[in-house]
Amino acid sequence: MTDKVILPVGVRLSTDIEYRPNRPAPYRALVRWFDPVSKRRISLSEGKHDEDQARQWPQTIIEAAEAGLSPSLATMKLADYGEANMSLALRGLELKTHDPYLSGWRQRVVPALGHLPVRMITNGAVDRTVQNWIADEHSRSTVKNTIAVLVRVMEQAVRDGLIKVNPARVTGWQKLYKQAEDELLDPRALALPDWETLVRPAEALVAASHDRYRGWEEVVLFAACTAAQIGEVSGCRVGDIDTTRWIWTVRRQTTPAPGGLTDKGTKGKRARKVPIIEEIRPLVAQRLLSAGPEPDARLFTGPRGGRISTAVLRDATHWDTVVTKLGYEHLRRHDLRHTGLTWFADAGVQVHVLRRIAGHGSLTTTQRYLNPRELHQTGQKPQVAWSQRHTAGLRSLYELAF
């Protein structure tokens, strides 16, 4: 309906929200007005998943009407707007530049931001998206080309009067990329030193969360002890856990997608096996009991039973504030994975096995987690984060898994 209706300029609009249970989008946002010519009452409506979205939508229509924009343009998703205006956005570029720009648009911009209306894309949303591209280890040129096409599409939206300022003109991403490169060269430097140091922030995150949800501590401990990403922890199902051999088969991960979070295959598109050490077996057993016998039930969820992601964990636990107060300013969610792989290496896991646990495509990446050369030169022994009595057990677990 929004594609066919054009609001008369200067007309007074009224808004309302209706709650309709048992519907996929239960909150119905409405905008009504009287046509100045026919005197008939006309309305626009759209279903939303939550009340905040339902309140935002009428405001978008009102602001668009004041600017003389049609509802269809005011509510257009970024993916649709880019498809309709890509030729304008890319005008003036050499043809050889089109392919990398369009690839960045299809493979990165649309999955990350395409579901959002153009007018709702903020500087913060773009900043976080760019950080995710860097964290996913895309090359510098790939990130540059992806940002460039997004900037051009949003610049066209400025020309159309859809937005006033281009939110895609981010600064400082090159510095973030350099930091990510440095971390990849020495991931051991980001690892927590021992079990007690891991438990301390995990408990503090629970204390800072709403209703002190214990699930956040379980997610942190499980991620560190399995060297997994938060998205992979979220994607873990009951049927993925073998309690006979205590092996987790990592098959999927939760990632942002149009319409919200979704599950897809692991980054390498291959399942991998990860041993579950003795320290977290009681935790896993309790989660299995709570999740029930259904093989597809999620082992870890948010307090309301929903999917979790690194952003959800960060926001729900006030991560940045908590870890800074504890003196771990550098600690990010992905550093839990660095911690686990470093601990595995120090426990004596062979590099070819460690590579399969990590799911690395290159052996060179895995070798960065091995004991640094300085330890051998000084004669120091590496610190094993898990108790010594479990080191032999770790090796036997790996033999069972591979």
Side-chain angles (χ1 to χ4, degrees):
M1 187 173 183
T2 57
D3 293 332
K4 300 177 182 179
V5 177
I6 298 178
L7 275 69
V9 177
V11 73
R12 178 176 295 182
L13 305 176
S14 63
T15 65
D16 193 12
I17 297 175
E18 295 178 356
Y19 178 68
R20 302 176 297 175
N22 302 321
R23 297 199 180 200
Y27 293 91
R28 183 187 181 204
L30 299 99
V31 176
R32 300 186 180 97
W33 70 94
F34 284 97
D35 185 272
V37 177
S38 66
K39 307 302 181 182
R40 292 174 50 242
R41 194 181 194 192
I42 303 175
S43 67
L44 294 174
S45 66
E46 187 168 312
K48 298 295 180 181
H49 293 286
D50 59 55
E51 189 173 357
D52 288 340
Q53 291 178 347
R55 293 188 183 281
Q56 272 188 332
W57 185 80
Q59 187 60 35
T60 299
I61 299 296
I62 292 172
E63 292 175 357
E66 292 174 348
L69 300 174
S70 68
S72 60
L73 188 59
T75 59
M76 185 175 284
K77 304 293 192 292
L78 177 63
D80 298 329
Y81 182 82
E83 182 179 353
N85 296 278
M86 189 58 72
S87 59
L88 287 174
L90 298 184
R91 66 181 181 275
L93 288 177
E94 295 184 15
L95 289 178
K96 65 180 181 180
T97 310
H98 285 203
D99 284 346
Y101 275 33
L102 291 174
S103 176
W105 176 262
R106 291 190 301 266
Q107 297 183 28
R108 283 167 289 282
V109 175
V110 171
L113 298 169
H115 61 290
L116 295 174
V118 175
R119 291 167 63 88
M120 289 181 60
I121 295 176
T122 63
N123 294 99
V126 176
D127 285 340
R128 288 188 289 271
T129 301
V130 172
Q131 288 184 19
N132 288 337
W133 293 335
I134 295 173
D136 287 341
E137 301 178 18
H138 293 297
S139 69
R140 187 186 295 269
S141 62
T142 295
V143 175
K144 179 182 178 181
N145 290 334
T146 304
I147 294 174
V149 69
L150 177 59
V151 167
R152 281 182 163 265
V153 171
M154 297 304 288
E155 196 61 37
Q156 184 60 42
V158 173
R159 295 191 188 96
D160 284 338
L162 200 54
I163 54 177
K164 295 180 180 179
V165 180
N166 188 339
R169 293 192 177 279
V170 295
T171 58
W173 71 269
Q174 294 92 341
K175 183 177 180 181
L176 288 174
Y177 196 93
K178 180 62 168 60
Q179 179 182 349
E181 287 182 324
D182 293 342
E183 291 172 359
L184 288 175
L185 291 175
D186 187 16
R188 289 178 60 92
L190 303 171
L192 295 173
D194 50 46
W195 176 263
E196 290 72 20
T197 308
L198 170 65
V199 171
R200 193 177 303 119
E203 292 178 342
L205 293 168
V206 171
S209 68
H210 180 66
D211 288 342
R212 296 177 175 265
Y213 179 56
R214 301 300 308 181
W216 301 128
E217 177 183 12
E218 296 170 342
V219 167
V220 169
L221 296 180
F222 187 80
C225 292
T226 56
Q229 301 179 47
I230 299 301
E232 293 172 337
V233 176
S234 177
C236 179
R237 308 291 177 86
V238 168
D240 298 333
I241 303 294
D242 179 357
T243 55
T244 302
R245 299 188 302 162
W246 287 105
I247 300 295
W248 171 29
T249 303
V250 185
R251 293 187 172 93
R252 66 190 69 79
Q253 61 179 328
T254 298
T255 61
L261 296 175
T262 188
D263 289 341
K264 67 176 186 179
T266 58
K267 185 176 180 181
K269 309 301 181 185
R270 297 185 301 271
R272 68 181 192 274
K273 296 184 182 295
V274 177
I276 300 174
I277 65 169
E278 188 169 339
E279 278 84 347
I280 61 169
R281 289 181 193 172
L283 180 159
V284 174
Q286 182 58 48
R287 293 307 311 157
L288 289 169
L289 184 63
S290 300
E294 177 58 45
D296 286 335
R298 294 182 183 278
L299 200 64
F300 298 95
T301 65
R304 298 181 181 178
R307 294 182 178 95
I308 58 177
S309 67
T310 182
V312 170
L313 175 61
R314 177 199 62 213
D315 295 342
T317 61
H318 307 284
W319 179 288
D320 295 336
T321 301
V322 170
V323 299
T324 299
K325 285 183 178 179
L326 292 175
Y328 308 137
E329 294 87 351
H330 73 284
L331 187 65
R332 302 169 307 164
R333 278 72 60 198
H334 196 71
D335 295 336
L336 300 174
R337 175 169 163 83
H338 294 318
T339 294
L341 290 174
T342 300
W343 290 1
F344 284 154
D346 286 355
V349 180
Q350 295 182 350
V351 65
H352 71 280
V353 177
L354 184 62
R355 175 187 176 185
R356 296 174 69 178
I357 292 173
H360 288 152
S362 169
L363 185 63
T364 302
T365 302
T366 309
Q367 289 173 330
R368 295 182 180 124
Y369 291 93
L370 302 182
N371 302 327
R373 185 177 303 173
E374 297 84 62
L375 292 178
H376 298 288
Q377 292 175 343
T378 60
Q380 295 176 336
K381 292 184 179 181
Q383 180 180 11
V384 178
W386 292 310
S387 57
Q388 290 288 345
R389 67 189 180 90
H390 291 328
T391 303
L394 280 170
R395 294 197 183 98
S396 64
L397 277 173
Y398 301 143
E399 291 171 2
L400 286 171
F402 300 99

